[in-house]
Amino acid sequence: MQNRLTIKDIARLSGVGKSTVSRVLNNESGVSQRTRERVEAVVNQHGFSPSRSARAMRGQSDKVVAIIVSRLDSLSENLAVQTMLPAFYEQGYDPIMMESQFSAQLVEEHLQMLSRRNIDGVVLFGFTGVTESLLTSWQSSLVLLARDASGFASVCYDDDGAIQLLMENLYARGHRHISFIGVPHSDATTGKRRHDAYMAFCQRHQLEPKFALPGLAMKQGYEHAAHVLAPHTTALLCATDTLALGASKYLQEQRIDTVQLASVGNTPLMKFLHPEIVTVDPGYAEAGRQAAAQLIEQVNGRATPRQIVIPAHLV
């Protein structure tokens, strides 16, 4: 009888209403301890899986996956999520969204909760603070996006290649004084890899680097544009579209129209507001499709974890 009861069955066997059973299964307040114990006794007796039954009661799919983004307002992550959702829906999965806020502790709490609820699989937008030990129990049913980890499935961007494409384009246009605004090296991908690629290009072509690594926020791009601009600067490369939007506002306010902006992202907002900015598309949308496809294959036992790198292309 395991996993075949509905909440209606549990309610009947417990002598309570369906709403009371739902509150117990979801660990909500408003239920006396005695009633809670009676419902839990029936649940335990029948080996009942609360999370899946609760979904069934709500008329939802029994196939559920989670998407843990780092920031709900991230332009790049939203592009990836937009292509994930149709892929999951097409295969009958109901996705739920969660946010990590770049906190390893929050990721751990989310994964523990998802494990208790028997979620089928997880797409996790990775960041440097997420360790492999934190993910061990999810190895066969998790896909990391935007960073890799040994033994886990991952979908990554070619951070080095994206910067190389932009620098080569700017260099070919005659720019020899190219500044850079990026992210601290504590972020291994958007931060260290993209900055390292900028520095390597400058070294190969004997260019003088001038840079700041403030962070990801638009305000940081705005505030640090002045720090990296010199009288002879002709181009400014930003590690993300968000930083470029902030830098663009600074250039507009200062009425500086002699500096060519470039950025990694090619997000719709950037294309609409600033079509003049040179951008590289790192493949956010394709990464979302690939991550969803990989997770579906893994949870159905048709694939083992593998590492996928999405190539960047100049727009």
Side-chain angles (χ1 to χ4, degrees):
M1 199 169 181
Q2 185 173 359
N3 286 337
R4 295 187 179 181
L5 271 69
T6 65
I7 283 187
K8 183 177 180 181
D9 295 326
I10 297 296
R12 176 176 53 80
L13 292 170
S14 306
V16 299
K18 289 190 295 183
S19 61
T20 300
V21 175
S22 179
R23 285 197 294 271
V24 172
L25 296 178
N26 289 292
N27 200 27
E28 297 174 359
S29 59
V31 181
S32 70
Q33 185 61 31
R34 183 176 179 181
T35 298
R36 185 179 298 276
E37 290 173 352
R38 189 161 71 246
V39 172
E40 289 176 345
V42 173
V43 167
N44 294 332
Q45 177 185 351
H46 294 278
F48 181 72
S49 176
S51 60
R52 294 185 183 278
S53 178
R55 293 196 294 270
M57 183 195 74
R58 295 192 295 268
Q60 295 177 344
S61 167
D62 198 35
K63 299 159 64 176
V64 179
V65 293
I67 303 170
I68 305 178
V69 299
S70 62
R71 295 175 299 138
L72 289 171
D73 62 351
S74 168
L75 298 177
S76 60
E77 293 184 11
N78 282 335
L79 286 175
V81 170
Q82 286 172 22
T83 55
M84 276 185 225
L85 296 179
F88 284 132
Y89 292 144
E90 184 179 348
Q91 297 299 317
Y93 288 89
D94 283 331
I96 60 175
M97 294 280 293
M98 309 177 82
E99 184 183 42
S100 71
Q101 300 172 6
F102 294 105
S103 166
Q105 181 178 347
L106 267 180
V107 170
E108 183 175 17
E109 292 173 1
H110 290 334
L111 291 177
Q112 288 175 351
M113 184 274 289
L114 294 172
S115 180
R116 290 195 299 270
R117 297 192 174 205
N118 297 324
I119 298 299
D120 293 291
V122 177
V123 174
L124 170 62
F125 284 80
F127 52 94
T128 305
V130 175
T131 61
E132 294 170 12
S133 60
L134 187 66
L135 310 175
T136 301
S137 62
W138 288 88
Q139 191 163 14
S140 63
S141 53
L142 180 140
V143 175
L144 274 171
L145 206 156
R147 65 155 293 185
D148 54 8
S150 178
F152 291 85
S154 63
V155 180
C156 296
Y157 307 114
D158 183 5
D159 296 286
D160 180 86
I163 297 298
Q164 292 298 323
L165 284 173
L166 287 172
M167 291 296 286
E168 288 168 2
N169 180 273
L170 294 172
Y171 191 84
R173 294 179 181 214
H175 295 285
R176 298 297 183 268
H177 298 281
I178 307 170
S179 298
F180 180 85
I181 300 179
V183 180
H185 282 201
S186 55
D187 182 306
T189 53
T190 307
K192 186 176 188 305
R193 290 181 187 172
R194 295 185 187 183
H195 179 236
D196 283 352
Y198 164 77
M199 295 297 289
F201 188 95
C202 288
Q203 184 176 15
R204 284 197 306 272
H205 293 83
Q206 297 182 331
L207 306 181
E208 181 184 355
K210 191 170 181 62
F211 61 88
L213 306 175
L216 288 164
M218 193 181 305
K219 183 179 180 181
Q220 291 171 316
Y222 174 84
E223 292 176 342
H224 285 78
H227 300 170
V228 299
L229 294 177
H232 52 271
T233 302
T234 61
L236 173 56
L237 170 55
C238 295
T240 71
D241 275 1
T242 303
L243 288 170
L245 286 169
S248 177
K249 181 175 177 61
Y250 174 83
L251 294 176
Q252 289 176 344
E253 289 183 354
Q254 299 301 314
R255 298 186 179 180
I256 299 173
D257 57 8
T258 56
V259 174
Q260 173 66 59
L261 268 180
S263 67
V264 180
N266 191 42
T267 55
L269 181 62
M270 176 62 80
K271 289 187 291 185
F272 178 75
L273 293 177
H274 298 287
E276 75 283 358
I277 295 179
V278 180
T279 61
V280 154
D281 184 349
Y284 296 133
E286 181 60 23
R289 279 189 289 267
Q290 295 265 12
Q294 175 66 25
L295 183 61
I296 290 168
E297 292 297 296
Q298 279 184 216
V299 299
N300 286 284
R302 297 192 295 261
T304 56
R306 64 190 181 111
Q307 296 182 342
I308 302 168
V309 178
I310 306 297
H313 64 273
L314 192 69
V315 179

